[in-house]
Amino acid sequence: MGALPDRWIDWLTVAIALLATGAAGGVLAGLLGVGGGIVIVPVLDYVLGVLGVDVAVRMHVAVATSLATIIPTAIASARAHGRLGAVDHELIGAWGVPIACGAALGALVAARVSSAALTAIFGTAALAIALKMMLPFDGWRLGKRVPRGWRAAPLPASIGMLSALMGIGGGTVSVPAMTLYGEPIHKAVGTAALFGLFISLPGTLSYLLVTPEVDRPWGTVGLVNLPAVLFIAPMTMLFAPVGARIAHALSRRRLALAFGIFLAMVALRMLYRTWMSLNTH
């Protein structure tokens, strides 16, 4: 599980940062259905770097830990959206199993790829989705109804796999996918919040079971850092209902634009980090 840090001030600073991250992640989980991972992953990656964690495992721990924090966040966010009637339970029944299977597979794949590859996947996917949400493509449709049935299973399975690779709750990918098939944005966000549970549970289990050979930060089981989960998760649960209430007070276009702008900023930072990493080796 790694050695304790030499300086207690390191963990004091980290604890404050993680509490703030949990609060921000919780608001975004409720607001956008993203499970907070889109904030938690880059912040954890930065914090672990400050603490001197090996770059070979840093992004892996950030992604795995983020996914673990999404379990309680998804529950709190989905309950808040459910009370507002914004969860498509029929779609949950159709997509739930493929998403969960994809998430379990995605976590196993993530454990075997390089840190730079994970960062590139995170940044590229987030930027593509951000552009879709920011540009005026509201009228674009791939179909009149979200596909269901076994023939449509590759779509939710891919969403689950990519989400586990990125350490996110699924809303980052599933919200645009659902809206492209005509799902109203508020219902897409609410449904994505519950999909976060189908992604985070199997994904976290897979991350807990892997045994990397490199040194990991103290308190890490598999690739999940338990102290970080304990600091972040309560804050995300506390603030997720706040985000849900904000979401239902915003217009469709404003919600999509806010989602896109935030994703673009995070994506560009992660891609810059990947570029710097590749040019220093």
Side-chain angles (χ1 to χ4, degrees):
M1 289 178 57
L4 282 164
D6 294 330
R7 296 175 297 169
W8 67 268
I9 193 65
D10 281 342
W11 274 115
L12 178 60
T13 304
V14 168
I16 295 171
L18 293 180
L19 288 172
T21 301
V27 171
L28 285 167
L31 179 64
L32 305 173
V34 296
I38 205 74
V39 176
I40 294 167
V41 170
V43 170
L44 276 178
D45 176 63
Y46 175 78
V47 168
L48 293 170
V50 170
L51 292 176
V53 175
D54 191 335
V55 68
V57 76
R58 196 163 74 207
M59 188 63 176
H60 297 79
V61 173
V63 166
T65 303
S66 170
L67 206 62
T69 67
I70 289 167
I71 296 174
T73 309
I75 294 172
S77 182
R79 288 182 63 187
H81 282 287
R83 286 193 291 269
L84 296 168
V87 176
D88 187 336
H89 292 284
E90 182 187 348
L91 187 57
I92 293 291
W95 277 22
V97 172
I99 278 185
C101 291
L105 179 60
L108 295 176
V109 171
R112 288 163 175 77
V113 302
S114 69
S115 182
L118 275 185
T119 307
I121 290 170
F122 187 101
T124 302
L127 184 58
I129 295 161
L131 291 174
K132 186 271 171 189
M133 299 300 285
M134 285 191 295
L135 295 175
F137 293 156
D138 291 349
W140 284 31
R141 293 288 181 270
L142 294 177
K144 295 181 179 180
R145 185 171 183 265
V146 179
R148 293 161 169 81
W150 66 269
R151 290 185 178 179
L155 176 57
S158 298
I159 290 172
M161 183 173 183
L162 182 58
S163 299
L165 283 165
M166 295 175 68
I168 58 178
T172 307
V173 185
S174 63
V175 167
M178 285 185 279
T179 56
L180 280 171
Y181 283 99
E183 190 85 351
I185 184 65
H186 293 94
K187 182 153 282 190
V189 168
T191 305
L194 187 51
F195 279 144
L197 192 60
F198 286 81
I199 292 167
S200 56
L201 277 173
T204 299
L205 181 60
S206 294
Y207 278 123
L208 285 168
L209 295 176
V210 299
T211 53
E213 297 179 0
V214 297
D215 290 337
R216 293 159 288 163
W218 177 82
T220 301
V221 177
L223 287 169
V224 178
N225 186 264
L226 300 182
V229 173
L230 292 176
F231 276 106
I232 293 172
M235 298 299 286
T236 55
M237 290 183 67
L238 182 63
F239 281 88
V242 176
R245 288 194 293 271
I246 295 172
H248 287 267
L250 294 176
S251 69
R252 174 193 176 109
R253 187 62 206 147
R254 286 183 178 178
L255 185 55
L257 186 61
F259 190 9
I261 291 172
F262 181 79
L263 273 185
M265 292 189 297
V266 173
L268 289 172
R269 181 194 176 280
M270 298 302 279
L271 289 174
Y272 176 75
R273 180 185 179 278
T274 304
W275 183 81
M276 291 295 293
S277 174
L278 293 175
N279 280 273
T280 55
H281 289 82

